[in-house]
Amino acid sequence: KAGVTQTPRYLIKTRGQQVTLSCSPISGHRSVSWYQQTPGQGLQFLFEYFSETQRNKGNFPGRFSGRQFSNSRSEMNVSTLELGDSALYLCASSLSRGQVTQYFGPGKRLIVL
Amino acid sequence: ELKVEQNPLFLSMQEGKNYTIYCNYSTTSDRLYWYRQDPGKSLESLFVLLSNGAVKQEGRLMASLDTKARLSTLHITAAVHDLSATYFCAVTGNQFYFGTGTSLTVIP
């Protein structure tokens, strides 16, 4: 069974641009969560989607948004990029909400210049 | 907001030695997770602890949970180089809250 996939692995953008990151969950998984990982702030929860609805949102500005499609694939968008948005963005999927185990994808390294 | 603290942040230990990583959290949570992250890689789930007194073991790693003390420990027995990685604990409230991580280096 294929794992959580995030492509491409690296992305370089400049300040002010916007970026869309994509995540394909494990087949059959309906819950997708996004996380930001930086050396200074560690791992921080961005949002969780289940059945195409955002169920939880972390403490991030409105520039960060996301959505989930009917096939459970998810995208997150960051508008008006700032230097501080440079991070590893991780996507995780689970069978359903509250499912004990989340499976993480390889992550996408975003570099903002 | 639920806070999760790990200590130590950095740990250098010799092969064959034992050590414990501690994870404290600030408010009641119904489950606690331990993850491993290798440099440049994603997170790998190690343990899920669901109740007070829960203990789980896999190889040289053993995790335990004391919900009354809001404390989980990850005990490493007879460390080997392959265990070098960063270890995170996480608890769930309305979302996942991750600890700061413990960077473990096992030296010969």
Side-chain angles (χ1 to χ4, degrees), chain A residues 13-51:
Chain A
K13 293 285 188 179
T14 56
R15 279 180 297 175
Q17 286 187 309
Q18 67 102 26
V19 67
T20 300
L21 310 180
S22 179
C23 171
S24 295
I26 292 172
S27 177
H29 285 197
R30 297 172 60 198
S31 177
V32 175
S33 297
W34 288 89
Y35 299 86
Q36 181 196 65
Q37 186 176 28
T38 61
Q41 299 298 318
L43 270 160
Q44 294 184 287
F45 171 79
L46 279 158
F47 21 65
E48 176 198 4
Y49 285 88
F50 180 77
S51 292

Side-chain angles (χ1 to χ4, degrees), chain B residues 7-21 76 78-81 83-87 101-108:
Chain B
N7 70 82
L9 297 183
F10 299 94
L11 176 57
S12 181
M13 54 190 298
Q14 284 190 309
E15 279 189 334
K17 299 292 187 183
N18 304 333
Y19 209 84
T20 301
I21 299 170
I76 302 153
V80 293
H81 179 71
L83 291 179
S84 296
T86 299
Y87 293 85
T102 296
S103 178
L104 170 65
T105 303
V106 180
I107 53 177

Side-chain angles (χ1 to χ4, degrees), chain B residues 48-104:
Chain B
V48 182
L49 302 169
L50 300 177
S51 60
N52 187 43
V55 176
K56 290 198 174 179
Q57 183 164 4
E58 180 75 32
R60 302 174 187 274
L61 300 177
M62 183 173 72
S64 65
L65 178 62
D66 181 343
T67 57
K68 293 178 183 176
R70 296 177 190 158
L71 170 70
S72 180
T73 60
L74 181 66
H75 187 73
I76 302 153
T77 302
V80 293
H81 179 71
D82 285 352
L83 291 179
S84 296
T86 299
Y87 293 85
F88 292 93
C89 64
V91 297
T92 52
N94 60 343
Q95 58 174 272
F96 271 68
Y97 295 90
F98 280 86
T100 48
T102 296
S103 178
L104 170 65

Side-chain angles (χ1 to χ4, degrees), chain A:
Chain A
K1 186 186 260 191
V4 178
T5 56
Q6 295 179 255
T7 57
R9 292 295 306 277
Y10 297 92
L11 204 53
I12 299 175
K13 293 285 188 179
T14 56
R15 279 180 297 175
Q17 286 187 309
Q18 67 102 26
V19 67
T20 300
L21 310 180
S22 179
C23 171
S24 295
I26 292 172
S27 177
H29 285 197
R30 297 172 60 198
S31 177
V32 175
S33 297
W34 288 89
Y35 299 86
Q36 181 196 65
Q37 186 176 28
T38 61
Q41 299 298 318
L43 270 160
Q44 294 184 287
F45 171 79
L46 279 158
F47 21 65
E48 176 198 4
Y49 285 88
F50 180 77
S51 292
E52 303 176 62
T53 302
Q54 186 180 91
R55 303 293 177 161
N56 276 311
K57 190 176 193 300
N59 189 26
F60 279 82
R63 300 185 297 108
F64 291 81
S65 63
R67 59 178 174 167
Q68 186 180 34
F69 302 94
S70 58
N71 61 358
S72 296
R73 189 176 69 83
S74 177
E75 289 181 346
M76 66 163 282
N77 183 274
V78 188
S79 63
T80 318
L81 284 166
E82 300 177 359
L83 295 178
D85 297 332
S86 296
L88 180 67
Y89 289 89
L90 293 161
C91 162
S93 75
S94 58
L95 274 171
S96 62
R97 296 199 71 210
Q99 190 69 14
V100 292
T101 302
Q102 283 192 327
Y103 297 86
F104 281 79
K108 183 165 294 183
R109 175 75 60 187
L110 173 64
I111 299 170
V112 181
L113 302 175

